[in-house]
Each structure stands twice: as structure tokens, then as C-alpha cells.
Amino acid sequence: MWYHRPVINEELLQSLPNLKIVASSGAGIDHLDLKLLSSYGVKVSNTPFVVSTDTADLGMALMLASSRRLVEGYQIAVSPDTEYFPADWLGAEVSGATLGIVGMGTIGYKVAERAKAFEMKILYHNRNRRNKEEESAVGAIYCKKIDDLLQQSDFVLLSVNLTPQTHKLIGKRELELMKPTATLINTSRGLVVDQDALVEALQNKVIKAAALDVTYPEPLPRDHPLLKLKNVIITPHIGSATKKTRRLMMENMTESIQAGLAGLPIPNEVL
Amino acid sequence: MSKKVQAIYLWWHKPVIDQELLQSLPNLKVIANSGVGMDHLDLKLVASFGVKMANAPRAVSSSTADTGMALLLASARRLVEGYHIAMSSGMEYCEADFLGVEVTGATLGIIGMGSIGYKIALRAKAFEMNILYHNRTRRKEQEEQAVGATYCEKIDGLLRRADFVMVVVSLTPQTHKLIGKREMELTKPTATLINISRGAVVDQEALVTALQTGVIGAAALDVTHPEPLPRDHTLLKLKNVIITPHLGIKTDKATYMITEEAVENMLAALNGLPIPSEVLPS
């Protein structure tokens, strides 16, 4: 299964009596009704780990591109109207700034490893606290309450799974807790953010900017306000879009399928 | 008025320091540059008027290193193209075809391992990149080990193995057109050239040809020659090129720190004290 297709519903499952396994590409499984699949005796697998470095890399790419105004800068550099580069045109520094990571799983931790090399101060919020060695390896400070993270961060990066608990995790209240100079970066799922609240926050300068690899839906309708805001970068869900990783994902999926068909323990099974 | 001027703070190469200006300012003692590059100044000419010069090397390194990494990541992951696809009205594309290249675990070749180059190595190490470097002088062993960098005495060795070639040298007569046709032909056809030094370090004509004929894979340029490029220049039209308007140190924090450094230099010069970042004509 790639890009959430085909859609797995009751109708499809009834028409495929010998279906044994659904191997889904990527880490997220929010598009699958696990109970339904289980009721048909169909196993499920995903590819959670192989995507982690690429997604962490993209998170860093979005943070840097947003704060240094890379896309705007590119447009100035190539525009037919440009006569000179303005001297008073500035971005914000990434090195030494404070990064708040919401969701310190595999991907979140890899972001922390990268951010540390930029001498960033790292705060994190997670269901569970990481152990001391893991925290000190990246210099990350645990924020039991998400509010503390939101109030202190220059960049807030979301790398949680989409679950009923994380649905609209970042809404009006959370956005208002953030600094007016802060940037929201989302590489998890569009639905983790209350998109309407985000539009309002960006329009009213409640936060400074947003950089989103994921939205709801994907792609956004062409008249959506997010597409018109100058302080927003959107990329078309390319978190894992590299040749090498796609190949590895495919290898993982074939492994899972072969094990599933042979009745053997399935690597990367989702229970 | 002109007799009162004792110090000049140069901002983005203005004012232009020429014979005429220097003659009109008899009491000029020091020129402090914003930023580290001094290639826009005739150092010998200025020195001949007994005027001291200083740059601001400390304040620029993190911001410029960040710019280098931003360009590397944006180019590898096709961020600008992706942005246009995501934001545009009705552009058709096939999701499965839109792929970039991996940064984690790739090989980065750093040409010029000064303070900016070294900060790039520190950042790249966190991306588990394999780091090669070429420099006039070799760095100490501990410095190499701290970033896992391998010295390439000959630039050819670096060019052949690198997936990303990052140019971070000062512009001098020796580094003028350092990266030309020969060097580009040595790189992998999939390699990306990133230039955050000065446009003139790269042979721009050769770069255009190399990009058009697939000799190199892509380029990301924060600097060109001139800046900005003429609006009909081929580099502006190539799909596999990102150009940015000399972002280098354009952040609020860096400009503040550069100014602080420049003021330090100017006050030292005016008080007859040793200048912290003095630049002498070589």
C-alpha cells in the first residue's frame, strides 16, 4: 500500500477472501482501521524506522528554510524585477535558538541530534520521559507540560503519531501560548494541528510563521488561505521522499509480505 | 566635514573605498568591514594611506554555516520545487515520482576548512555525513577527529568522492575560479555544488555548461558574480539550481554581533590599541 491507496474498507475486504496481509508504506497507520482488518484476520505491517532520518532531515530543512527566508530569497534572486538585493532584508538565526520538540520518538530524537550540532537549546514534550543518558546525549530538557515548551520555544516541531489523543493537539490555546516570534513546523500529520486556528494565528501575527510538510487534506484545496500566506512554507508530504529510503521501504514491505504469506513472524507488524 | 571622519564602517561594500575617497579623508584612521570577506578592498591602497583595516570573522561563522546547511538540505530534498507544487494552482505531478536525494549518510566535501567550514563539519556530522575536506593547511588531529573529517591533500580526491561539494574559501587570487571545468568534470554526475563563499571562486560559464550537460547534478548558490545576476542569465532558468540573495549572515543576531565586533575594532584603532581582527595586506 502506497500513499494510502487502495482505501481499505469493508467492501474491499469482503471482495478479497484470501487477503492475508496489508503492508503499508511509511510510519503512520492513522489511515487504517486496525479493528476492521483484525476482524477479517488480516495482518498489518508498516515501515516505521527506515523513514526516520529522512523525516528528521526534512524537519531541519523546513526550520532552516523558514527562518532564513530561503523561498522568499530564491524568488527575489530569480525575479525579473530584481535590480539589487535589499540591505535591510533579514531572517532569524537558527544557531543558538530554542527548539521545542513535541513527540520525542525515533524521528523526534533524530531531530534533536541534528539540532544539537546547531547549538540549539532543546526542549521536548512526550508521553513518556526519555532516560537520562538519552536526554544528556542531546542536551534535551523534558517539559512535562506542553505549555512550558510552547512558551519558551523559538521553533516548535511536531513529530507525534496521529491518534485520537493527538488530534488537534495544537489548537488556538496552544498557538496563543507560543511566542509571537515563533515558527511552527509540522512533519507528522495535518490533523495534529487545528488548521483553521493556525490560519487565524498566522493572519493575526499570534505566531510568526509555519512550515508544513503535511496538511489536511493533502493537497489543500487551491483556494485555501494557507496557500496565500506569505509566512507559510508548504511541501507536498516529502518526508520520506528520497530514492534510497523508498527503496528500503519497499524492501521492508516485501519482507513483511513474504513472512505474512509464509505464516512466519512478521517484521514491523502493527498490532 | 571630511576632516572629521576618522573611521568608516563598511556595510555591504559601501561606500566604495578608492583613491579619491581616501584622499578626501585626511584623518581617516580605520575601516571596519561588516563581515569577513575583504576581496572588495584594495588592501595595499588603503595601507598606503596609513589606514588600518579590520573584518568581523567571529560573528559570521554560525550564520554562514547555517546558510550552507540550509542550501544543502533545500537542494537535496527539492524544497523549492516542492513548495511550488504544494502552493500552486493546478500543477500536475505524480507523487511517486517526486524524489530527492538522501542527506543522512551521504559524503560531504568541504573546500576551505576555516571557522565557517569547521562549523559546517560540526553540523554535517550530526547528519551522520561522511566528511572530506581540502584546505591550504591540515587541521590538527583532535579537530579532525571531533568531526570525523578526512583530509584530502589534493582537491581531486575530494571531488571524486563527494555527493555534496561545499565551497567555503576566501576569495583571493589563488582561489579565483578554483572550481572550473576540470574540477566539475571530476565530480560525480549526481553531485551538488554549494557555494557560500564568493561568486568568482566558481567559473560560472563552466558551471552553466556542467549543469546543462549533466556533468554535475545540481547547484545551490548563495553567491554569484555579479550580485544580482543579469535577469537574462542562464543560471536563473535552470531547474536544478537554487540561488539565494547572499543570505550568508543576514540574520538579526548576526548583524548585531557584526556591528559589535566592528565597533570594538574601530575603538581600538582610534585609541591606538591593538586591533582585535586587524587585516593586513598580504
Side-chain angles (χ1 to χ4, degrees):
Chain A
M1 156 175 259
W2 281 95
Y3 295 105
H4 307 184
R5 295 198 200 104
V7 174
I8 309 285
N9 54 22
E10 185 101 59
E11 201 184 318
L12 184 80
L13 291 170
Q14 277 170 347
S15 70
L16 301 172
N18 292 320
L19 183 66
K20 290 192 171 46
I21 176 164
V22 168
S24 182
S25 63
I29 39 129
D30 45 284
H31 56 288
L32 293 171
D33 186 336
L34 297 176
K35 284 202 171 73
L36 180 67
L37 283 153
S38 175
S39 73
Y40 277 80
V42 176
K43 305 262 184 195
V44 178
S45 72
N46 62 351
T47 65
F49 302 113
V50 74
V51 301
S52 36
T53 56
D54 274 359
T55 313
D57 289 354
L58 187 74
M60 294 299 295
L62 286 172
M63 179 164 63
L64 286 159
S66 176
S67 78
R68 300 302 297 271
R69 299 170 71 184
L70 193 140
V71 177
E72 260 184 275
Y74 166 84
Q75 288 166 338
I76 290 171
V78 303
S79 158
D81 302 325
T82 294
E83 290 174 35
Y84 60 89
F85 295 153
D88 59 351
W89 188 95
L90 298 174
E93 190 121 333
V94 168
S95 279
T98 300
L99 169 64
I101 300 175
V102 180
M104 194 76 133
T106 316
I107 296 171
Y109 195 75
K110 290 201 184 238
V111 172
E113 284 174 334
R114 284 145 180 72
K116 177 173 192 286
F118 288 75
E119 298 165 83
M120 297 188 87
K121 177 177 178 193
I122 300 167
L123 309 172
Y124 79 101
H125 175 72
N126 205 36
R127 274 174 305 190
N128 309 305
R129 190 167 173 170
R130 286 227 171 206
N131 68 44
K132 273 202 159 49
E133 291 82 22
E134 291 173 329
E135 282 185 351
S136 46
V138 295
I141 299 165
Y142 183 57
C143 291
K144 192 163 177 186
K145 293 178 68 186
I146 200 176
D147 300 36
D148 295 327
L149 180 151
L150 296 169
Q151 283 165 332
Q152 296 175 68
S153 299
D154 300 304
F155 300 93
V156 175
L157 189 145
L158 307 175
S159 56
V160 290
N161 291 325
L162 177 62
T163 65
Q165 292 76 39
T166 63
H167 183 259
K168 289 195 179 173
L169 176 68
I170 306 294
K172 187 176 193 303
R173 191 193 81 93
E174 290 70 29
L175 292 162
E176 281 172 356
L177 284 169
M178 286 168 65
K179 293 181 177 183
T181 50
T183 300
L184 180 71
I185 301 147
N186 191 3
T187 55
S188 56
R189 284 289 180 270
L191 286 171
V192 172
V193 175
D194 177 345
Q195 236 165 230
D196 294 330
L198 177 63
V199 170
E200 216 179 292
L202 288 162
Q203 285 171 335
N204 299 330
K205 302 195 181 349
V206 168
I207 66 169
K208 184 173 89 171
L212 314 168
D213 188 44
V214 289
T215 57
Y216 187 78
E218 283 170 18
L220 289 169
R222 300 291 89 189
D223 58 356
H224 198 281
L226 275 174
L227 300 183
K228 300 182 177 59
L229 291 169
K230 281 210 143 261
N231 48 353
V232 174
I233 303 180
I234 302 182
T235 46
H237 202 148
I238 49 176
S240 65
T242 66
K243 297 182 179 101
K244 204 162 162 188
T245 295
R246 287 291 162 85
R247 194 194 166 80
L248 287 169
M249 282 160 79
M250 194 59 119
E251 282 178 5
N252 281 7
M253 287 157 75
T254 353
E255 252 172 56
S256 301
I257 290 173
Q258 284 171 332
L261 295 178
L264 293 166
I266 298 170
N268 293 321
E269 182 168 5
V270 179
L271 300 161
Chain B
M1 182 64 205
S2 52
K3 290 199 164 54
K4 288 186 178 175
V5 176
Q6 294 184 71
I8 292 178
Y9 179 31
L10 264 186
W11 190 256
W12 290 106
H13 308 186
K14 305 238 172 63
V16 174
I17 306 293
D18 55 17
Q19 179 102 313
E20 201 183 319
L21 184 78
L22 290 166
Q23 277 170 342
S24 71
L25 302 173
N27 292 318
L28 182 65
K29 291 194 173 42
V30 61
I31 298 173
N33 191 39
S34 59
V36 66
M38 300 292 272
D39 47 282
H40 54 290
L41 285 170
D42 186 336
L43 303 178
K44 287 200 168 73
L45 177 68
V46 173
S48 73
F49 279 81
V51 176
K52 304 258 185 199
M53 291 166 290
N55 63 357
R58 293 191 321 263
V60 302
S61 39
S62 293
S63 310
T64 315
D66 288 358
T67 302
M69 293 305 293
L71 284 172
L72 188 157
L73 285 159
S75 177
R77 301 301 294 273
R78 298 173 67 187
L79 194 138
V80 177
E81 268 182 273
Y83 167 89
H84 285 123
I85 287 171
M87 307 289 277
S88 77
S89 42
M91 206 192 274
E92 296 270 337
Y93 84 108
C94 175
E95 292 171 303
D97 276 348
F98 191 90
L99 298 177
V101 296
E102 217 172 55
V103 169
T104 293
T107 298
L108 170 64
I110 301 174
I111 299 176
M113 194 78 135
S115 35
I116 300 171
Y118 196 75
K119 288 209 171 180
I120 290 172
L122 284 165
R123 284 148 178 69
K125 177 171 191 287
F127 287 80
E128 299 165 76
M129 296 186 88
N130 174 33
I131 300 168
L132 310 171
Y133 78 102
H134 175 72
N135 205 36
R136 275 175 303 190
T137 53
R138 194 171 171 164
R139 283 226 170 211
K140 301 198 198 87
E141 205 176 318
Q142 305 104 295
E143 291 175 332
E144 283 184 353
Q145 277 175 11
V147 295
T150 305
Y151 184 57
C152 294
E153 193 170 343
K154 292 182 70 185
I155 201 177
D156 300 35
L158 179 151
L159 293 169
R160 285 200 179 92
R161 291 149 67 191
D163 299 304
F164 299 92
V165 177
M166 176 100 59
V167 184
V168 203
V169 292
S170 307
L171 177 60
T172 65
Q174 292 76 40
T175 62
H176 185 259
K177 290 198 180 169
L178 176 67
I179 309 295
K181 183 175 192 290
R182 189 193 83 93
E183 289 70 30
M184 288 183 234
E185 280 170 0
L186 286 169
T187 67
K188 295 182 180 184
T190 49
T192 300
L193 178 71
I194 302 143
N195 190 5
I196 53 169
S197 57
R198 284 288 181 270
V201 172
V202 171
D203 179 343
Q204 239 164 227
E205 245 100 272
L207 177 61
V208 169
T209 309
L211 287 162
Q212 285 173 325
T213 56
V215 165
I216 69 171
L221 314 170
D222 192 42
V223 288
T224 57
H225 184 70
E227 283 170 23
L229 287 169
R231 299 293 86 189
D232 58 357
H233 199 285
T234 321
L235 276 174
L236 301 182
K237 302 181 178 63
L238 295 173
K239 274 203 151 274
N240 49 353
V241 175
I242 303 179
I243 303 182
T244 46
H246 205 144
L247 298 178
I249 44 83
K250 283 183 174 159
T251 70
D252 39 12
K253 196 171 166 185
T255 45
Y256 189 86
M257 286 167 67
I258 285 167
T259 305
E260 272 189 337
E261 226 178 317
V263 167
E264 234 180 78
N265 285 319
M266 287 189 282
L267 289 175
L270 294 176
N271 292 315
L273 293 167
I275 300 170
S277 327
E278 184 166 8
V279 177
L280 301 163
S282 49

